[in-house]
Amino acid sequence: MTINDENIPDKDKEALIHFLKGKKTWNEYVKSHSEKVDFYEVNFSNYLRFFDFDGYTFPSGGIDFTLARFSKDDDSKDDDFGDKAVYFSNVDFGDGEVLFAGTSFGDKGVSFSGANFGAGGVSFSGANFGAGGVSFSGANFGAGGVDFSGANFGGRDVDFENVNFGDRSVSFGKATFGKDEGKCRLSFKKSIFGEGGVSFKNAQFYADKVSFEYCEFKGYVSFQSMTETKTLSKFSLRHSSFDKSLDISDNTFSCIPDLTNTKLTNQVSLDRMEISDKYPLKGDFDESDGERLCRLKELAEANKSYQQALDFHVIEMRAKRYNTKLIKGKTLHRWLDTLFDIVCLYGQSIIRPVLWLIGLTIVCAWIYAYESSLDYFPFCYGLLYSVSQVFSFVPAGRSITIGILDKLFPCEPQQIPNVIYSLSLIQGVLSFLLVFLIGLGLRNRFRL
């Protein structure tokens, strides 16, 4: 086999020739060549129709696939080539560095399942995995750092289940998941992250479901400022353990992040983490939303972020109300719960009960003036009497009530319509409740 690419040094041409001859020839070659092999910018689609490197062993000096291509060139004249699936399943990359930075893998899928990356650093920064599925399930990244920053994982499922990321830092910063299709599943289920930090800061999640369930994080973890999280229908850290800090700040989710049954030994940062006002998008809550929101509320309260805890509480109550069946004994409870939400947003809003109180006062004032025995429409007297009912618990309010009532009905003080007494009683009770809700809102807003 002849390699005509002048950009490849002679020693690397020799390595590439052995590499292209197959697993047996390549593995024999590696036994006597431990130095680093450089396949920089090599377009493997010019030499191979099918990319299956299962069983390959790589030299201890490392392997460099930076800017390599496993997809068809735009300028290629050979229509027999094209985008094929790329398989590095169960490959042993040795203990040197493994570099796939900027590599293009085409659109038929990529598999590194069961691959062993040894002790060297691993870089897939800026790699383009195309529109096919991506699997690193069962891979072992050893003790070196792992860099997927800026990688594009296409629009299909991405599988990192049962992966061991070693003890160094892991970065998925500014990586993109699912942009091509807008729907994909990203799974890190049962993966183990070592003592190095794990960063998904500014990662773009166009995925539908993201799972970090049953994972072990021994270092700090950051999901800060992820973008496009509004497309997620699931973001789960359920049953995972965190030995150091966890940061999920500066995110807006259209789902309820699941932190139930997590082991958290340090602070969890939820600053400026919000649930979209449009949740639930289809108008129906999940049965587990209440449990997930209760956990988020617990974490917010532990951080003394009371306003955020109240925000979670509102959605939690709505979820529980939605999932309460209309059966005898619960129907009235559900109606009262709905009314509490409408009037004061479960004790969060100050302006809502204020507006309700103003509206009630004006409506009652108009009725008092209409029922007056005066020849004209005494709205001012009616308004003053209505205000006195709002503050009937104040001594001056009682005095004003008697004086204004005499002015509304000056000729027939003994013939005051029963509707006035009935309305006064109802307004007094409702006003007291609204004043209480205003106080509740102030207390919740300015709680220290």
Side-chain angles (χ1 to χ4, degrees):
M1 181 178 293
T2 303
I3 304 298
N4 296 321
D5 194 333
E6 297 179 356
N7 295 323
I8 303 176
D10 290 339
K11 71 178 186 67
D12 293 319
K13 282 184 179 180
E14 179 186 2
L16 181 58
I17 291 173
H18 286 83
F19 184 80
L20 297 174
K21 286 183 177 180
K23 175 174 58 179
K24 183 176 180 180
T25 301
W26 170 255
N27 289 343
E28 288 294 328
Y29 172 80
V30 167
K31 289 180 181 179
S32 58
H33 296 77
S34 60
E35 66 272 12
K36 180 179 179 181
V37 174
D38 189 349
F39 290 151
Y40 181 82
E41 286 189 326
V42 172
N43 189 340
F44 287 90
S45 66
N46 290 334
Y47 310 106
L48 298 173
R49 296 173 181 270
F50 189 72
F51 311 115
D52 187 353
F53 304 110
D54 188 356
Y56 277 62
T57 300
F58 288 87
S60 59
I63 186 80
D64 186 352
F65 283 93
T66 299
L67 297 180
R69 294 183 62 84
F70 294 90
S71 59
K72 178 181 177 181
D73 277 338
D74 293 337
D75 297 331
S76 176
K77 297 180 181 179
D78 190 347
D79 292 336
D80 290 337
F81 292 108
D83 294 335
K84 304 292 185 181
V86 181
Y87 296 95
F88 281 90
S89 304
N90 301 306
V91 165
D92 187 346
F93 286 96
D95 292 328
E97 285 189 328
V98 179
L99 304 177
F100 283 90
T103 297
S104 175
F105 288 97
D107 295 326
K108 297 300 182 181
V110 182
S111 176
F112 284 86
S113 61
N116 186 357
F117 290 92
V122 180
S123 176
F124 285 84
S125 63
N128 186 350
F129 289 92
V134 180
S135 176
F136 282 84
S137 64
N140 186 347
F141 285 92
V146 182
D147 185 7
F148 282 90
S149 60
N152 185 345
F153 288 89
R156 298 294 179 85
D157 291 349
V158 181
D159 186 357
F160 279 86
E161 292 187 5
N162 296 299
V163 171
N164 186 343
F165 284 94
D167 294 326
R168 300 293 295 276
S169 61
V170 179
S171 175
F172 284 84
K174 296 185 178 180
T176 301
F177 299 91
K179 186 174 182 179
D180 294 337
E181 301 289 335
K183 294 284 186 181
C184 76
R185 181 187 64 88
L186 172 61
S187 177
F188 286 83
K189 190 174 182 179
K190 296 183 179 180
S191 292
I192 300 175
F193 297 84
E195 296 181 355
V198 179
S199 175
F200 283 84
K201 186 175 182 179
N202 295 318
Q204 300 182 55
F205 285 102
Y206 294 87
D208 179 39
K209 296 181 179 180
V210 177
S211 174
F212 288 88
E213 296 178 353
Y214 300 94
C215 290
E216 295 182 24
F217 296 91
K218 299 178 181 179
Y220 73 86
V221 184
S222 176
F223 292 99
Q224 183 184 8
S225 302
M226 299 183 297
T227 60
E228 306 303 329
T229 52
K230 293 182 180 180
T231 65
L232 294 177
S233 65
K234 176 183 178 181
F235 183 81
S236 179
L237 301 171
R238 191 179 183 97
H239 297 293
S240 293
S241 62
F242 299 84
D243 292 349
K244 294 185 179 179
S245 61
L246 170 62
D247 187 353
I248 320 180
S249 58
D250 297 298
N251 289 299
T252 299
F253 291 96
S254 58
C255 63
I256 309 298
D258 191 351
L259 276 75
T260 56
N261 302 113
T262 52
K263 176 187 175 184
L264 303 167
T265 56
N266 289 278
Q267 182 179 359
V268 179
S269 179
L270 302 176
D271 294 342
R272 298 168 300 281
M273 194 206 85
E274 301 176 350
I275 308 300
S276 174
D277 293 336
K278 296 181 180 180
Y279 184 82
L281 298 177
K282 298 180 180 179
D284 51 348
F285 287 90
D286 188 89
E287 292 182 354
S288 301
D289 281 348
E291 179 188 14
R292 290 193 284 264
L293 286 161
C294 185
R295 177 59 166 159
L296 290 176
K297 184 176 67 174
E298 175 187 347
L299 294 173
E301 290 175 345
N303 291 341
K304 297 190 182 300
S305 180
Y306 298 120
Q307 185 57 48
Q308 188 178 46
L310 287 171
D311 292 339
F312 293 145
H313 176 69
V314 169
I315 309 176
E316 177 191 4
M317 295 301 293
R318 289 173 177 170
K320 289 181 177 179
R321 184 179 75 218
Y322 178 85
N323 290 318
T324 299
K325 297 180 180 179
L326 290 173
I327 60 178
K328 186 177 181 181
K330 293 187 177 181
T331 304
L332 180 60
H333 167 77
R334 186 172 180 179
W335 288 346
L336 290 174
D337 191 273
T338 302
L339 185 62
F340 190 33
D341 186 7
I342 294 173
V343 174
C344 66
L345 204 62
Y346 291 101
Q348 270 211 88
S349 176
I350 299 173
I351 189 63
R352 283 193 185 187
V354 167
L355 293 176
W356 279 103
L357 183 60
I358 291 174
L360 175 66
T361 303
I362 292 175
V363 169
C364 290
W366 190 90
I367 296 174
Y368 295 139
Y370 179 79
E371 293 292 336
S372 173
S373 61
L374 296 174
D375 295 334
Y376 59 93
F377 190 76
F379 182 75
C380 291
Y381 287 154
L383 181 60
L384 189 57
Y385 180 78
S386 182
V387 171
S388 71
Q389 300 307 300
V390 175
F391 301 101
S392 59
F393 52 88
V394 179
R398 300 191 190 99
S399 301
I400 294 174
T401 297
I402 297 173
I404 296 300
L405 198 59
D406 290 339
K407 290 185 178 182
L408 286 171
F409 302 93
C411 300
E412 303 174 0
Q414 305 300 325
Q415 299 297 323
I416 298 176
N418 291 331
V419 67
I420 297 298
Y421 291 117
S422 300
L423 184 60
S424 298
L425 181 61
I426 294 173
Q427 183 190 4
V429 173
L430 293 178
S431 297
F432 176 79
L433 291 174
L434 290 170
V435 170
F436 170 78
L437 294 177
I438 293 171
L440 179 62
L442 289 169
R443 182 259 186 188
N444 287 332
R445 180 62 58 86
F446 300 106
R447 179 181 178 182
L448 298 178

